[in-house]
């Protein structure tokens, strides 16, 4: 597989689904396995050098019963566990707390990817304690990948919310939007969640129309990215639309068309805070999404088809 141009793809574990129902095999993997420790707010524990802290199961003690089995890498097991359930002496060796976005920008791809997987699953565990059918309590089985109701025996699986993200063009310009809460001058391509009974192509047309008032005429799928904030899957498209005048919907502060020169300059400016963006862009220049995101890559894909 070629290297992905955005985060949370490269270095993915062999998820080894068959081992989730094999507690004896997991117990054998545990002592030499690695355990990713996350705080309840989703930050990963890191050592003094800000590197991922993933101690061996033998150091943590006990067995894998309270951990989620993430998968295998080179025959070694990888697990995820809440830092609050581990002995304080072990956690004390990891004084740093790292946000997933910061990890994706600075850590090796494998470490960021395994962190993303751990964060999504622990978030699901934290927010799904009861059955949606009868209200009974859930027991997590299959190494943390299945919630089973104690009362009605119904099964609950980790939730992934599908969302489209699309670079919309009228042939010469790229449609971008911005939310009021974003840093100064930050713009991005259009995105939105898939609704029940809707195809991806229908979602592209509906979301673009709702958020910008622009009518999409055709679209094609390019790539996808897990986006564990907290548990989405971004499905990336390029779309052709009419040259309608954008009108921002309820979710956006503004929506506009930008020519290739403006998008190219926006890609060259990659600052993470409003202050940096305002200082660096003394004019009215825009700043596009972080390199960790498929949003930026989609803008780059559109720009490749534009003349200089």
């Amino acid at each position: 597989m070629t290297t992905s141009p955005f985060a949370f793809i490269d270095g993915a574990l062999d998820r080894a689904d068959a081992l989730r129902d094999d507690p004896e095999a997991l117990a054998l993997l545990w002592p030499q396995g690695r355990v990713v420790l996350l705080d309840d707010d989703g930050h990963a524990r890191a050592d003094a050098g800000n590197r991922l802290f993933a101690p061996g199961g033998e150091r943590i003690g006990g067995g894998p019963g309270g951990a989620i089995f993430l998968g295998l890498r080179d025959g070694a097991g990888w697990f995820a566990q809440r830092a609050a359930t581990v002995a304080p002496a072990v956690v004390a060796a990891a004084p740093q707390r790292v946000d997933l976005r910061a990890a994706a920008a600075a850590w090796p791809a494998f470490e960021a990817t395994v962190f993303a997987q751990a964060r999504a699953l622990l978030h699901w565990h934290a927010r799904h304690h009861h059955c949606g059918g009868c209200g009974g309590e859930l027991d997590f089985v299959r190494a943390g990948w299945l919630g089973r109701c104690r009362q009605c025996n119904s099964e609950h699986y980790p939730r992934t919310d599908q969302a489209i993200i699309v670079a919309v063009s009228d042939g010469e310009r790229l449609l971008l939007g911005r939310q009021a809460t974003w840093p100064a001058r930050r713009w991005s391509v259009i995105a939105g969640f898939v609704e029940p009974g809707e195809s991806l192509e229908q979602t592209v047309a509906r979301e673009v129309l709702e958020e910008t008032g622009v009518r999409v005429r055709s679209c094609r799928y390019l790539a996808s990215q897990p986006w564990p904030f907290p548990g989405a899957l971004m499905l990336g498209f390029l779309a052709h639309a009419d040259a309608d005048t954008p009108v921002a919907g309820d979710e956006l502060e503004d929506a506009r068309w930008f020519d290739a020169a403006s998008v190219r300059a926006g890609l060259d400016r990659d600052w993470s805070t409003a202050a940096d963006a305002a200082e660096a862009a003394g004019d009215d220049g825009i700043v596009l999404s972080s390199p960790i995101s498929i949003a930026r890559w989609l803008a780059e894909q559109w720009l490749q088809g534009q003349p200089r």
Side-chain angles (χ1 to χ4, degrees):
M1 181 179 292
T2 58
T3 300
S4 174
F6 38 81
F8 314 134
I9 304 293
D10 296 331
L13 294 167
D14 170 2
R15 300 202 172 200
D17 176 84
L19 295 182
R20 296 174 187 172
D21 284 320
D22 192 339
E24 292 183 0
L26 295 178
L28 290 174
L29 288 170
W30 177 255
Q32 303 305 315
R34 304 286 300 280
V35 186
V36 179
L37 300 178
L38 269 63
D39 290 334
D40 290 343
D41 61 2
H43 286 69
R45 285 286 175 161
D47 62 20
N50 224 35
R51 296 177 295 267
L52 175 66
F53 180 71
E58 189 172 38
R59 182 175 178 181
I60 291 177
I68 300 172
F69 173 60
L70 299 176
L72 298 173
R73 189 188 194 206
D74 298 330
W78 280 77
F79 300 83
Q81 191 163 339
R82 292 176 57 227
T85 65
V86 176
V90 175
V91 179
Q96 305 296 324
R97 301 170 66 254
V98 180
D99 172 78
L100 181 54
R101 284 183 172 86
W107 285 2
F110 165 73
E111 294 185 359
T113 297
V114 77
F115 177 7
Q117 182 186 353
R119 187 183 189 279
L121 282 163
L122 284 170
H123 182 273
W124 174 64
H125 274 228
R127 286 159 177 76
H128 292 79
H129 298 291
H130 295 88
C131 174
C134 72
E137 291 189 30
L138 299 183
D139 289 323
F140 289 103
V141 297
R142 296 205 77 233
W145 287 85
L146 172 65
R148 181 171 290 131
C149 179
R150 295 178 183 177
Q151 291 184 183
C152 68
N153 210 40
S154 62
E155 297 182 342
H156 302 262
Y157 293 88
R159 174 172 172 167
T160 297
D161 297 315
Q162 296 81 26
I164 60 88
I165 184 163
V166 54
V168 181
S169 174
D170 66 354
E172 297 180 352
R173 300 174 297 174
L174 182 65
L175 180 65
L176 299 176
R178 64 166 278 109
Q179 296 181 11
T181 57
W182 288 357
R185 295 181 173 85
R186 180 58 54 85
W187 293 75
S188 186
V189 296
I190 308 304
F193 288 102
V194 180
E195 293 188 347
E198 191 173 51
S199 72
L200 298 178
E201 293 80 3
Q202 289 169 335
T203 305
V204 168
R206 176 184 56 78
E207 283 288 345
V208 173
L209 184 63
E210 288 177 356
E211 294 190 15
T212 71
V214 172
R215 292 164 293 181
V216 167
R217 294 305 181 188
S218 63
C219 65
R220 61 186 178 93
Y221 170 80
L222 291 187
S224 64
Q225 180 187 29
W227 195 245
F229 301 104
L233 176 64
M234 306 304 294
L235 303 157
F237 286 80
L238 282 179
H240 181 75
D242 292 339
D244 299 321
T245 299
V247 178
D250 294 340
E251 296 182 17
L252 296 178
E253 176 187 61
D254 199 359
R256 301 181 197 172
W257 292 109
F258 291 90
D259 61 23
S262 298
V263 173
R264 189 172 291 111
L267 289 168
D268 289 339
R269 303 183 185 102
D270 183 35
W271 297 282
S272 59
T273 69
D276 289 339
E279 180 180 354
D283 53 17
D284 293 328
I286 64 173
V287 180
L288 293 187
S289 305
S290 163
I292 75 169
S293 70
I294 192 174
R296 182 184 183 88
W297 179 79
L298 287 170
E300 292 171 340
Q301 296 307 295
W302 172 78
L303 193 59
Q304 286 180 10
Q306 301 302 305
R308 281 208 173 254

